[in-house]
Amino acid sequence: MTEAGGGKERLLRAAVEYVAANGVGERSLRQIAAALGTSHRMLIYHFGSKEGLFVEVVRAMEERQRELLAELTAAEDDPIDAARRFWARLADPALWPHERLFFELYGRALQGDPAALPLLDGIVDTWVTALVGPLEKAGTAPDAARAQARLGLAVARGLLLDLLATGDRAGVDAAMEEFTRMYAATLPPR
Amino acid sequence: MTEAGGGKERLLRAAVEYVAANGVGERSLRQIAAALGTSHRMLIYHFGSKEGLFVEVVRAMEERQRELLAELTAAEDDPIDAARRFWARLADPALWPHERLFFELYGRALQGDPAALPLLDGIVDTWVTALVGPLEKAGTAPDAARAQARLGLAVARGLLLDLLATGDRAGVDAAMEEFTRMYAATLPPR
DNA sequence: GACCTCCTGTACCAAATGGTACAGCTAGGA
DNA sequence: TCCTAGCTGTACCATTTGGTACAGGAGGTC
């Protein structure tokens, strides 16, 4: 679990992993360092300060978000199929630790934590912009597409919050199914 | 802003207010006490420990949630009107500080913070149960009603996350409008 | 007055924190 | 071989942390 120190990049990746699994809440530099098989001295050396490390963790989280977005919007065909695959990927338990970290950092950022704040940048708009494309291609008017994209993002995040708290995959899946059903019903018949 | 010490209840209320405004993140007992016009000695006296204070803050937050729920489900008639009023109340900027606190605590609880953990208890189910009633009364089948209630809750929380991050009231309102529109379209014509 | 309970200020503590100073290591280029 | 650059361990620092000991004070009851 430690996999020893060396290399800022490796250290950062390990730090993100640790923090995703244990929370960023009360952990001290020393605790994190110990879990990573290093000394807190090394973290200071590489990241300058605790805040510095935290900032990089947030940056890594942003990057993860971008990668996830890219992955999810790769194949853009029928919006409903896309939404289903989208959700299936998001709800994968393998992603839970990072999603928990995402929401923890989101919460801190909302409270103005300067290190977490950058995470909020484009946290909605980036996704909405990416989602609008397929919707418009399916024949939705631009302004309606924006509203629907925003709604879809909210549904995904809201149901993710639900899932992470309850673990009730079936219940959450049913709710998502209800959403796609509702959405399909409002489309003009093909 | 201080309004002086005295009375556990008053202290707790003030603590919640302070923590809603400043985040629970890195605040020490001494900082909180100073902002409340007391000494950290008093907080220890009344709440036993920092953890104890934190637990009570979370409890107060739960209570706030229940009150809000009761307030919102008081008049249960047409689900769509209810949803609209529901949302108008939730999106009120006056509630933002407490909602930010809610999401910060939610995030901490997801990461296993023992003091915040109780918040997760019934954090979905309580609301779903309350929302199912009006839906069934409007003629929705029980299992569909549960899924729709869960979906509605997710939409509310997801859009709230959006609103708190972006502040874009109009955009978020449009998304909510889209949701009610979609929902209305799936209802059998009356 | 004596007593009791609830509250509050002062002073203090050991422990842990983030951060620094400094010396030494290894590797590679000249 | 010498030198430089990047890395790492040891030891240390001042400060802050949560928590405690203790000595009162205010107010009521007998």
Side-chain angles (χ1 to χ4, degrees), chain A residues 28-30 40-41 50:
Chain A
S28 71
L29 275 183
R30 287 168 152 91
H40 84 289
R41 173 69 182 73
K50 188 187 188 182

Side-chain angles (χ1 to χ4, degrees), chain A residues 149-182:
Chain A
R150 204 150 187 172
L151 176 60
L153 180 64
V155 167
R157 294 209 168 129
L159 285 180
L160 223 42
L161 274 177
D162 180 332
L163 179 61
L164 292 175
T166 65
D168 177 11
R169 181 74 184 265
V172 172
D173 280 352
M176 180 53 90
E177 195 53 41
E178 188 67 26
F179 180 62
T180 55
R181 202 186 55 73
M182 278 175 49

Side-chain angles (χ1 to χ4, degrees), chain B residues 39 57 69 77 135-136 142 173 185:
Chain B
S39 64
V57 168
L69 175 62
D77 38 3
L135 287 174
E136 287 189 354
D173 279 351

Side-chain angles (χ1 to χ4, degrees), chain A residues 12-25 27 32 36 57 61 64 94-105 164, chain B residues 107 110-112:
Chain A
L12 177 58
R13 246 175 305 154
V16 169
E17 227 55 43
Y18 172 79
V19 133
N22 298 83
V24 82
R27 309 294 155 186
I32 299 176
L36 267 48
V57 168
M61 208 58 215
R64 253 200 82 80
L95 291 188
W96 290 6
H98 288 92
E99 282 158 354
R100 276 191 283 259
L101 177 58
F102 171 74
F103 283 119
E104 188 190 5
L105 295 179
L164 292 175
Chain B
L110 286 182
Q111 291 291 29

Side-chain angles (χ1 to χ4, degrees), chain B residues 68-134:
Chain B
L68 186 58
L69 175 62
E71 177 186 344
L72 289 175
T73 58
E76 30 174 293
D77 38 3
D78 175 46
I80 295 184
D81 283 356
R84 266 191 247 276
R85 265 179 297 120
F86 195 100
W87 174 251
R89 178 89 181 89
L90 282 180
D92 182 351
L95 290 187
W96 289 6
H98 288 93
E99 282 157 355
R100 276 192 284 259
L101 176 57
F102 171 74
F103 284 119
E104 188 189 6
L105 295 179
Y106 203 137
R108 289 177 86 100
L110 286 182
Q111 291 291 29
D113 183 326
L117 223 57
L119 183 65
L120 292 189
D121 207 66
I123 203 170
V124 170
D125 222 56
T126 308
W127 290 75
V128 168
T129 304
L131 294 175
V132 155

Side-chain angles (χ1 to χ4, degrees), chain A residues 40-88:
Chain A
H40 84 289
R41 173 69 182 73
M42 281 299 95
L43 294 182
I44 293 284
Y45 175 74
H46 282 298
F47 303 100
S49 67
K50 188 187 188 182
E51 180 98 350
L53 169 62
F54 193 34
V55 166
E56 298 242 33
V57 168
V58 170
R59 213 182 43 75
M61 208 58 215
E62 280 182 288
E63 196 167 337
R64 253 200 82 80
Q65 287 277 107
R66 280 198 304 273
E67 283 168 11
L68 187 58
L69 176 61
E71 176 187 345
L72 289 176
T73 57
E76 30 174 291
D77 38 1
D78 174 48
I80 294 184
D81 284 355
R84 266 191 247 276
R85 267 179 296 119
F86 196 102
W87 174 249

Side-chain angles (χ1 to χ4, degrees), chain B:
Chain B
M1 172 157 295
T2 48
E3 136 174 20
K8 181 173 177 177
E9 225 49 46
R10 185 165 336 175
L11 264 175
L12 178 58
R13 246 174 305 154
V16 168
E17 225 55 43
Y18 172 78
V19 135
N22 298 83
V24 81
E26 312 281 88
R27 309 292 154 189
S28 71
L29 275 183
R30 287 169 154 89
Q31 288 174 339
I32 300 177
L36 268 48
T38 319
S39 64
H40 84 289
R41 175 68 183 76
M42 281 300 96
L43 295 182
I44 293 285
Y45 174 75
H46 282 297
F47 303 100
S49 67
K50 186 186 187 180
E51 181 99 348
L53 168 62
F54 196 34
V55 166
E56 298 241 35
V57 168
V58 170
R59 212 183 45 73
M61 208 59 216
E62 281 181 289
E63 197 168 335
R64 253 199 81 80
Q65 288 276 109
R66 281 200 303 275
E67 283 168 12
L68 186 58
L69 175 62
E71 177 186 344
L72 289 175
T73 58
E76 30 174 293
D77 38 3
D78 175 46
I80 295 184
D81 283 356
R84 266 191 247 276
R85 265 179 297 120
F86 195 100
W87 174 251
R89 178 89 181 89
L90 282 180
D92 182 351
L95 290 187
W96 289 6
H98 288 93
E99 282 157 355
R100 276 192 284 259
L101 176 57
F102 171 74
F103 284 119
E104 188 189 6
L105 295 179
Y106 203 137
R108 289 177 86 100
L110 286 182
Q111 291 291 29
D113 183 326
L117 223 57
L119 183 65
L120 292 189
D121 207 66
I123 203 170
V124 170
D125 222 56
T126 308
W127 290 75
V128 168
T129 304
L131 294 175
V132 155
L135 287 174
E136 287 189 354
K137 199 174 294 181
T140 312
D143 50 344
R146 268 198 83 78
Q148 285 177 16
R150 205 150 186 172
L151 176 60
L153 180 63
V155 167
R157 293 212 169 126
L159 286 182
L160 222 43
L161 273 177
D162 180 332
L163 180 60
L164 293 174
T166 65
D168 177 10
R169 182 75 186 263
V172 172
D173 279 351
M176 179 53 90
E177 194 54 41
E178 188 67 26
F179 179 62
T180 55
R181 201 187 56 75
M182 279 174 49
Y183 177 72
T186 66
L187 285 182
R190 55 178 71 197

